[in-house]
Amino acid sequence: LFPDMIKALLEKKEDKSSLSSLQTLLVSTATRVGMGNLVGVVAAISAGGAGAVFWMWITALIGSSTAFIEATLAQLYKQKDPLYGGFRGGPAYYIHAFIEEKQKRHKKRNLFSVLFAISGLICWCGISQVISNSVTSSFKNAFGIPPIYSCLFLVLLAAVIVLRKNASVRVLDLLVPIMAGIYIILTLFLIIVNFRQLPGVFARVFEEALGLRQAIAGGFGAVLMNGVKRGLFSNEAGSGSAPCAAATAETSHPAKVGLMQAMGVFIDTLLCTCTAMIMLLVPADKISGLEGMDLLQAAMSWHFGELGVIFIAVILWLFSFTTFIGILFYARSNVSYLFGDTWAAQTAYKILALIMMFVGGLTAYTFVWDLGDVGVGLMTVFNLIALIPMSKEALVSLRDYEAKYKKS
């Protein structure tokens, strides 16, 4: 159905207050193509070696179908948004509908939806920390700027955008295609220049992912876990993040938005592979013992010298900035579900996320992953409670789409 994913990109919206399918793809791509593609892949390779990349690919392959199901369900159960205009929704809302149907009684809120919404807000606060931690680290390496200054600048600029009513989507519409395009072009250039090394790189990925030596040494679990964990952190499939954006789209058929989000996982995987190639095309002795942004910047320094270090700092800043804007767009629906449609609640969460961003910029690298990982894990568990039994509704929608739009 890949051609159908491309067609869905071109669908126009009629209501000015709602978002098009393309705009919601850009919102979800901002978070997928942001931190996960740089910091997530770096963390996976730091902890799990080259083999972790293979398991990121497998996670994405399965995740594209999961992304279709959850995005289609978000469309089927979306609601009008009285605060921002257009629509809102996501797992908190379709889990609520599922529990209501099972219990045969109406409730204002239910436990599983509340737990999902809280987990999401915890996760996005954790990601805010990872964002600022990575940016301050890369700016210190590239420009020698103390973390406190780069962190303050990032927080103040983010506050100017996210505390305004509808600035978020306009900023993402502009930045996401530009930064993703530049990053892909740069990586393609590196691959072309180093094409003779590609067979060895892919051999290393498969050997470390499936090799007997890793299994005997007990390293297979670490490779698998880090690949899957960082793959999920990057493509978000099944965690319930992207459906919060998918629900806001205006579309002629729910399955179109599902196909669009499945395509988002494909785009994410392409960019994850770009980051992996940047690091794996470097001789192992040049980056041994490094982790986090130090590892990626050392790899870029080997490829492009000091210019590479500066490029990664700037592109990471852009990726991180769009990720933060994207996760606060996601948070809208969860905040509304928990606290009702009030500007006070929406603003309070944005301020909390900004505070966490500031704290994360001055905290140790490994610590800041913990909150995000716990949040993603909990979100996925609560989302799957409804996602698995409700998946047949999304498949019915897909069959209806095929009957209407794919007649010969």
Side-chain angles (χ1 to χ4, degrees):
L1 292 171
F2 196 79
D4 296 80
M5 298 177 190
I6 303 298
K7 288 177 191 173
L9 281 169
L10 307 175
E11 190 173 43
K12 305 282 187 190
K13 63 174 183 175
E14 295 179 6
D15 184 357
K16 287 186 177 180
S17 66
S18 63
L19 302 179
S20 67
S21 296
L22 176 58
Q23 285 177 306
T24 60
L25 176 66
L26 289 173
V27 171
S28 58
T29 301
T31 57
R32 287 186 177 125
V33 172
M35 296 304 301
N37 297 111
L38 286 177
V39 186
V41 178
V42 173
I45 293 177
S46 295
V53 177
F54 173 81
W55 294 109
M56 291 183 83
W57 291 338
I58 298 300
T59 305
L61 189 66
I62 299 167
S64 60
S65 59
T66 315
F68 170 81
I69 298 291
E70 61 185 359
T72 304
L73 287 174
Q75 270 290 309
L76 291 170
Y77 289 94
K78 68 185 180 183
Q79 300 178 0
K80 286 283 187 182
D81 189 337
L83 272 183
Y84 291 96
F87 302 98
R88 64 149 183 243
Y93 294 85
Y94 61 67
I95 292 170
H96 184 96
F98 174 72
I99 299 295
E100 271 193 344
E101 185 182 339
K102 288 293 180 186
Q103 295 181 343
K104 305 295 183 188
R105 59 193 176 111
H106 174 73
K107 294 175 72 174
K108 189 174 181 182
R109 294 179 185 85
N110 69 64
L111 178 62
F112 286 114
S113 290
V114 167
L115 290 173
F116 172 83
I118 292 172
S119 300
L121 299 183
I122 290 171
C123 170
W124 297 321
C125 277
I127 293 173
S128 299
Q129 291 189 314
V130 176
I131 287 168
S132 56
N133 186 268
S134 302
V135 170
T136 55
S137 173
S138 65
F139 268 59
K140 185 178 180 182
N141 291 342
F143 309 111
I145 299 174
I148 183 71
Y149 297 122
S150 51
C151 188
L152 271 173
F153 178 73
L154 182 68
V155 170
L156 290 173
L157 187 60
V160 169
I161 293 175
V162 300
L163 293 175
R164 296 174 62 194
K165 181 180 177 182
N166 275 323
S168 300
V169 175
R170 291 196 297 273
V171 172
L172 296 180
D173 284 351
L174 175 67
L175 287 180
V176 171
I178 294 172
M179 68 182 192
I182 291 171
Y183 197 57
I184 290 172
I185 290 168
L186 177 84
T187 311
L188 286 174
F189 171 75
L190 281 179
I191 289 171
I192 291 167
V193 169
N194 298 282
F195 75 95
R196 288 187 182 87
Q197 296 182 43
L198 288 180
V201 167
F202 282 104
R204 182 182 164 197
V205 168
F206 288 110
E207 282 171 10
E208 292 191 20
L210 305 167
L212 182 63
R213 181 170 59 84
Q214 281 73 24
I216 293 172
F220 177 76
V223 174
L224 174 62
M225 181 59 72
N226 280 284
V228 172
K229 191 163 62 172
R230 295 291 156 243
L232 179 60
F233 185 88
S234 178
N235 67 48
E236 301 177 351
S239 69
S241 291
C244 298
T248 63
E250 179 189 318
T251 183
S252 58
H253 199 284
K256 286 187 176 183
V257 178
L259 290 169
M260 185 78 71
Q261 292 301 323
M263 184 182 182
V265 175
F266 171 79
I267 296 169
D268 168 79
T269 308
L270 178 64
L271 283 150
C272 278
T273 306
C274 287
T275 302
M277 287 297 161
I278 287 173
M279 289 184 287
L280 297 178
L281 286 169
V282 178
D285 62 300
K286 301 293 183 184
I287 52 176
S288 63
L290 298 175
E291 64 176 20
M293 292 316 300
D294 293 341
L295 171 60
L296 182 56
Q297 288 187 304
M300 284 298 288
S301 178
W302 190 85
H303 288 300
F304 295 109
E306 191 61 30
L307 190 63
V309 178
I310 293 170
F311 172 81
I312 279 296
V314 173
I315 204 77
L316 175 68
W317 188 87
L318 283 172
F319 275 36
S320 301
F321 192 60
T322 56
T323 296
F324 185 72
I325 294 170
I327 61 176
L328 286 186
F329 186 91
Y330 288 167
R332 289 179 183 182
S333 60
N334 284 14
V335 171
S336 292
Y337 183 84
L338 290 171
F339 305 109
D341 297 303
T342 68
W343 287 115
Q346 295 285 343
T347 305
Y349 182 73
K350 290 174 182 177
I351 292 171
L352 174 63
L354 288 165
I355 291 170
M356 295 297 278
M357 178 188 264
F358 179 76
V359 171
L362 309 175
T363 312
Y365 175 77
T366 51
F367 169 77
V368 297
W369 281 100
D370 296 342
L371 198 59
D373 280 342
V374 168
V376 167
L378 290 173
M379 286 171 71
T380 306
V381 169
F382 297 126
N383 188 31
L384 289 174
I385 287 171
L387 199 62
I388 294 171
M390 293 181 79
S391 60
K392 56 182 177 289
E393 294 183 45
L395 296 176
V396 167
S397 180
L398 177 61
R399 286 193 287 272
D400 180 68
Y401 165 82
E402 291 180 309
K404 288 179 178 175
Y405 294 96
K406 296 185 76 67
K407 290 178 180 175
S408 55

